[in-house]
Amino acid sequence: MGQCHQLYESPALGTLVRAGEDVFGVVSGITTTALDPSRRVIARGAEVETEAEIYAAHPQLEKLLRTDVKIAITGHREANGVVHQYLPSQPPRIHTFLYTCTPDEVRSFFGIGAVPRLDFLYLLAGFGGSGDDAMAAALRNASQAFNDPRAFLIAASRTVAMELSGDTARINAIVRRLPIGEGTI
Amino acid sequence: MSNAFEELGLAEPLPPKDEAVEIGIIVGGSLSQGLDVRLTGNGTVEDAKVGTFVTIQGTRHRYFGIITDLSLESADGRLSSNIANADAAMAEVLSGTGTFAQAQVTPMLMTGMGEEEPQPARSLPAHFAPVNRATNEDVQMIFGEEDKTHIYIGSPLDMEDTRVCLNLEELVKRSNGVFGKSGSGKSFLTRILLTAIAQRGLATHLIFDMHSEYGWQATSESGYAVKGLRQILQSGVSVFSLDLESARRRNLTPDYDVKIGLDEIEPEDIAILSSTLGISDAGVNACYTLYDRYGKRWIGEFLGMDASAMAGLASEGEHAGVLGALRRKLRDLDRIAFIQPEAPSGGGAVKQVLDHLASGKHVVMEFGRYGNDQMAYVLVANLITRRIHAEYRKRTEEALASDAKQPDPLVITIEEAHRFLSGGIASQTIFGTIAREMRKYHVTLLVVDQRPSGIDEEVLSQLGTRITCQLDNERDVDAVLKGAPGSRELKGVLSRLESQQQALLFGHALRMPVVVRTRDYQDFATEMSIPGYGRGPMGPGDKKDLFG
Ligand SMILES: Nc1ncnc2c1ncn2[C@@H]1O[C@H](COP(=O)(O)OP(=O)(O)OP(=O)(O)O)[C@@H](O)[C@H]1O
Ligand SMILES: [Mg+2]
């Protein structure tokens, strides 16, 4: 779980992020709630035209609300630089900074050269529900780091199919979220 | 994959020495039910065929088997309801992951690493053992190379350049069968077997050539001329004809014009024809009575009787009606042109056949127009074989007693064998006897038939090697496979043969069952016409050693 410095300024669903120097994860959920869980958020804006006017009229909102991102840990990097797609021995500490990964980091996390590394799908497949949306989003993002995004997505989908073997409906739901139909890429 | 290796800065691994193509991995199975092989790789689902010859690499053994069935499997039991219409992408994703093709492989043989002879498979490879399409070398190791005793008979499916060889020495040790529906290639296969056995000098032939197609040139369905034994082996083959006119029409002069004397026909010869001729049991009994009374000339005497002699016979206990009916039937025999009142002086056809065989010649007995006459065919084949067999038996026993040379092996070929070997009569006919006694007296059968279900089960089970082309009837398929190891699995293979020039071979002359596309006969005939081919030091095997 991470919290953003600015309200609504979270990385997109499925983004590969790095916690500290060596733990990787994928943004698997984004929620905005009141900072104080005992205070309910009140619906506002009956008297104004746009959403922006609400925040202008109530500058305290920026302080009272916060945006949380849920990070599904998908791997880590050893001291010698080798990346593994399984859980680190310790979770990141509280107050560890979260960074959105650079394209280079994305490339080296999801593949060795043109060969996709897809073991992380095992971790993501464990979440189910909206985790599948995060998985699809992560794959869409990751595919952009490859010369042949479609080939990456096919390979990934096949791995998903093996992880979820026996649940064709769920595989199908994930595959439909990926741009791999003819002519979509 | 290749760019993956490049990316990693690695050299691509060299392809293995014998280019085995992996088709799948073992995922389950048993020795009795066969192995489940999950097909891997691209496009293999439609490439793998029933009958394909495969090898399985275990840790300490190598196994050889054939694909006997194929199936489509899915990990999701409700696949069909879960996705009614998968789009192309989904199909691409699921193929090989959630859905996959599986082959049933029956393991037949195994060898230890770097080991001598393949043995029947008695253990199993472990899970995930790779399954490969057999290579040229595999096939050669199992079926041998063409040499003095091996003859190239055809190629495994999809391996046109690979030769499956048949061990002729083993073949002639027992009676054998060639089966297949009409037009499936039985006669062509038989021609190959006969020629090869003769050419390698492994046995002498007596061929009852019902359709006059083995001796001289015959015509194939597509109209080209097909060389017969006489043309390939020249004077080593004698053609006997029962129908001189038919031979003359083809501008041929047979070596012997067969005549059969009424006095050569014995009651046993009539007994076997009783159902064909419609002679009752009482009629058959009357034949024996007549034979006891008149000896060899019984038919002649009987047919020549006047009314009072007939009445006399009847008064001695034979039923007059039975006698009358028998006389009418025997007259039918008498009307056949090659049947004469008396055997030609100096010994008839039987003696001629024996003399030719004794001098090492192969005898083809052409029936000409009598090929369509069941009575003539059964009578002649049975009559001659009975006497030949008796003679071989006598010679064998004499040779045993005096420690002399045993007779050379004789192979008797009969077409439409069910006429001699059906369940009802096999126990009585000479052919049944020969099939059962193996080669005790150096005589074996080559049974050619399109209705194996009509042949006595016990006789079928005695056949050492069975070669079968497509059969159009399930009963025939079951009959041919009866008693064969792995018959349940082979059934799937046999019922999927193509309608022509493909055959399933199994039995003593081969280490394991195999489906072949029969080699082209024209090539074979040309090769066999080379004097000494495959026999002398310049056989094909040796040539290879010399050149390369
Ligand atoms: N090895 C072969 N080489 C060349 N042609 C072949 C071969 N085998 C079969 N054929 C073709 O198939 C046709 C039928 O074969 P064949 O005459 O041997 O059938 P059959 O099984 O003996 O039929 P039937 O029961 O009617 O006698 C041949 O005329 C020929 O055209
Ligand atoms: Mg034929």
Side-chain angles (χ1 to χ4, degrees), chain B residues 181-188 220-222 224 450 500-501 518-521:
Chain B
K181 66 176 198 182
S182 183
S184 58
K186 290 186 301 299
S187 297
F188 273 66
S220 84
E221 274 174 12
S222 32
Y224 58 85
Q450 49 176 298
Q500 215 171 59
Q501 226 179 319
T518 314
R519 67 184 292 191
D520 183 65
Y521 182 76

Side-chain angles (χ1 to χ4, degrees), chain B residues 434-470:
Chain B
I434 296 176
R436 276 190 305 272
E437 66 191 15
M438 314 236 310
R439 63 161 183 180
K440 202 160 145 201
Y441 301 116
H442 304 277
V443 182
T444 55
L445 296 179
L446 179 61
V447 165
V448 183
D449 207 308
Q450 49 176 298
R451 278 259 155 277
S453 59
I455 296 179
D456 184 56
E457 257 181 39
E458 198 200 330
V459 170
L460 273 182
S461 72
Q462 297 293 329
L463 299 179
T465 302
R466 287 171 244 180
I467 298 180
T468 172
C469 304
Q470 192 189 55

Side-chain angles (χ1 to χ4, degrees), chain B residues 177-221:
Chain B
V178 176
F179 304 106
K181 66 176 198 182
S182 183
S184 58
K186 290 186 301 299
S187 297
F188 273 66
L189 259 167
T190 307
R191 242 184 236 115
I192 291 178
L193 295 177
L194 292 174
T195 311
I197 293 172
Q199 199 262 359
R200 300 288 206 269
L202 294 169
T204 350
H205 290 299
L206 169 57
I207 301 161
F208 292 107
D209 186 4
M210 202 172 174
H211 305 297
S212 308
E213 57 187 346
Y214 295 118
W216 281 300
Q217 178 163 299
T219 313
S220 84
E221 274 174 12

Side-chain angles (χ1 to χ4, degrees), chain B residues 33 44 50 61 77 107 153 188 218 243 301 312 322 365 419 461 466 477 483 518:
Chain B
Q33 308 283 309
T44 49
V50 164
H61 294 98
I153 181 121
F188 273 66
D243 182 3
E301 294 284 345
V322 170
M365 189 153 305
R419 294 193 180 160
S461 72
R466 287 171 244 180
V477 172
T518 314

